[in-house]
Amino acid sequence: MERKKIDRNDIEAVIKGDKDITQFLEIHPGEGITSAFGVRTSSNPNYLLRAMYEMNERSLNRKLAVQMMRKLYRSVGMGATGLNMFLKKQGLELKPHEFLLLAFKLQHQQGWGAPFELVSQSDDKIVVKTKYTFESDVMKDWAMPVCGVHVGWMEGVLDAVTGKNWVGEEITCHAAGGDACEFVFTQRGVTWNERAEGIRKGERSLTEFLELKPLEGKITLIEEPVIMVPRMLFSSMMGSMSKIVGEAAAGGVINYRAYMELGTQNIAFFMKMGIKVPNTLIDMALAFYGQMGWFKVVKMDWNEAKKEKIITLDNSAEAESLGKNDKPSCHCTSGLLAGIVSSAFNVRVQGKEIKCKSKGDQYCEFSLTNKTE
Ligand SMILES: [Zn+2]
Ligand SMILES: [Zn+2]
């Protein structure tokens, strides 16, 4: 099969608009090969894209699903290094915004939405817009900003051509009822804090920042090492320690103390990262442990008269691991919460579980009070 060669004149003609993608489309149905501008492609049906959004929605919510699409397409955008090298070989040196517009002119002409236009550009900020994107059309029924595909894709393209980190944001979206999809890209680094804050506020999910290298025996969460532990750890620990020191000491003393220390050190780590406000520290710790599978926070109440904080949790992994019991059994969780609250406020705190799923209550409920002695 003879392939058409693409050279500098072709690229310049595309940029100027004298030629378009149709002159560079090759379809060889007999061989099952289609290429566009020299790149192997295949039809990209709307139901594939919808399936990807909905797959993420199943384990997250819609807002977080859009972020997962952004993460995926960022990797797609990183592939732009190939086109960039090709242009350089042809003696074409495009500025980042020019490269971005060329790359998306080729995408737009292949069905990825309306043409893009440049709104403004400087060394560290590029603003572009389009009437609609492929995903804003396909996912229009979500009636919210949905263009994670383009945010991530463009971030990746800009990263690839500049070798620096770009952060994109969609500020208006056609799917949310806007008259265009407009994107702002800023060249800047992203700190640990920014990502952790995103998790705390529910704008990002922990899944985005989890990197699993199972074959190397390593897992990191926002670049910090973490481990995965089977939930039965709670029952196995309780079982072995009860045999040694008795059930009361194992649960109420050893487990409680050990996990209190874990909560304390976790808050110390957040503080080292620059998070200072006590309630923010608590919310962040609960958001992290929650998303790591420990529990789901139902609510947090503060009783001013009794100076008592009540934390209500659902899906306590500890209660579910230990099974039915006639008294509250989440000793590790009690300790963890006591450690978190006491170090966040720098006071001594007593944690006590007052309701527990393992004894038939709907939720596990923890009381945290100042410890006076
Ligand atoms: Zn949009
Ligand atoms: Zn419980």
Side-chain angles (χ1 to χ4, degrees):
M1 189 184 78
E2 194 69 26
R3 285 210 178 186
K4 282 180 208 152
K5 274 244 188 270
I6 293 157
D7 62 25
R8 183 181 172 136
N9 294 332
D10 294 320
I11 298 158
E12 285 175 337
V14 168
I15 293 174
K16 275 193 236 138
D18 295 341
K19 282 189 178 175
D20 64 41
I21 196 84
T22 53
Q23 278 119 316
F24 305 98
L25 271 179
E26 292 177 66
I27 305 178
H28 303 273
E31 292 163 79
I33 291 177
T34 298
S35 67
F37 211 67
V39 178
R40 281 284 297 275
T41 182
S42 66
S43 66
N44 203 333
N46 54 1
Y47 48 76
L48 173 66
L49 195 80
R50 176 168 281 277
M52 290 199 285
Y53 273 84
E54 287 175 352
M55 179 189 73
N56 284 307
E57 187 198 7
R58 272 198 291 281
S59 52
L60 299 164
N61 58 29
R62 289 185 171 179
K63 199 159 106 179
L64 296 171
V66 170
Q67 293 296 336
M68 289 304 285
M69 292 303 286
R70 172 186 177 188
K71 179 180 177 170
L72 175 67
Y73 270 81
R74 196 183 174 103
S75 308
V76 175
M78 295 299 282
T81 32
L83 177 61
N84 194 31
M85 276 179 21
F86 175 72
L87 295 186
K88 284 198 170 139
K89 262 195 217 146
Q90 299 283 325
L92 262 175
E93 287 278 349
L94 298 184
K95 295 211 172 79
H97 70 278
E98 292 168 338
F99 184 87
L100 187 72
L101 287 171
L102 169 64
F104 281 86
K105 183 173 223 169
L106 294 169
Q107 298 307 335
H108 136 67
Q109 291 186 356
Q110 290 174 74
W112 277 96
F116 265 93
E117 56 179 285
L118 184 69
V119 176
S120 68
Q121 69 87 21
S122 65
D123 283 351
D124 57 2
K125 194 175 170 190
I126 296 174
V127 184
V128 290
K129 70 173 187 181
T130 179
K131 269 197 155 46
Y132 62 91
T133 64
F134 183 59
E135 70 266 32
S136 79
D137 209 33
V138 172
M139 304 310 294
K140 194 145 194 351
D141 60 303
W142 279 18
M144 56 179 274
V146 292
C147 299
V149 169
H150 274 81
V151 174
W153 200 348
M154 291 184 152
E155 280 177 336
V157 166
L158 288 168
D159 281 14
V161 293
T162 60
K164 291 175 183 159
N165 192 66
W166 289 75
V167 179
E169 199 194 342
E170 182 172 34
I171 51 170
T172 60
C173 183
H174 153 253
D179 55 7
C181 291
E182 186 164 341
F183 303 91
V184 178
F185 296 92
T186 319
Q187 192 264 297
R188 63 178 177 86
V190 180
T191 60
W192 183 93
N193 281 20
E194 188 177 336
R195 294 176 206 172
E197 274 290 305
I199 292 174
R200 178 179 75 83
K201 291 182 191 153
E203 290 164 359
R204 311 294 291 268
S205 68
L206 187 143
T207 359
E208 266 189 78
F209 309 115
L210 206 51
E211 212 156 300
L212 289 94
K213 293 190 177 154
L215 302 183
E216 287 174 37
K218 277 182 192 284
I219 304 177
T220 56
L221 171 60
I222 327 186
E223 285 141 35
E224 291 296 320
V226 292
I227 54 169
M228 230 184 246
V229 176
R231 194 184 69 182
M232 69 181 100
L233 173 82
F234 289 116
S235 50
S236 67
M237 247 175 23
M238 192 61 193
S240 68
M241 273 193 296
S242 295
K243 278 184 212 143
I244 306 165
V245 294
E247 198 188 322
V253 183
I254 302 178
N255 279 349
Y256 179 87
R257 285 284 170 81
Y259 281 79
M260 184 165 184
E261 187 55 29
L262 175 64
T264 300
Q265 293 206 7
N266 213 130
I267 291 296
F269 170 74
F270 288 169
M271 288 172 101
K272 198 184 86 195
M273 300 308 268
I275 318 280
K276 302 284 178 216
V277 181
N279 282 318
T280 306
L281 286 163
I282 294 171
D283 287 350
M284 192 173 276
L286 294 184
F288 271 72
Y289 279 98
Q291 294 200 11
M292 289 198 285
W294 286 60
F295 43 67
K296 177 180 188 249
V297 180
V298 176
K299 60 179 176 160
M300 260 198 286
D301 294 310
W302 171 247
N303 184 330
E304 178 61 35
K306 289 163 83 181
K307 299 275 180 219
E308 181 188 38
K309 198 175 190 64
I310 301 278
I311 300 180
T312 309
L313 305 179
D314 198 1
N315 302 336
S316 157
E318 191 173 10
E320 286 171 8
S321 163
L322 296 171
K324 288 268 161 281
N325 201 336
D326 53 0
K327 39 187 187 297
S329 45
C330 303
H331 304 291
C332 301
T333 312
S334 293
L336 180 76
L337 296 176
I340 289 170
V341 173
S342 67
S343 349
F345 282 100
N346 195 24
V347 288
R348 283 165 65 80
V349 159
Q350 178 65 49
K352 194 172 183 315
E353 188 175 27
I354 42 185
K355 284 184 187 166
C356 185
K357 227 174 179 175
S358 67
K359 66 177 192 65
D361 296 314
Q362 188 186 0
Y363 300 122
C364 295
E365 207 174 283
F366 301 85
S367 142
L368 298 140
T369 46
N370 274 11
K371 203 172 175 181
T372 44
E373 49 108 27

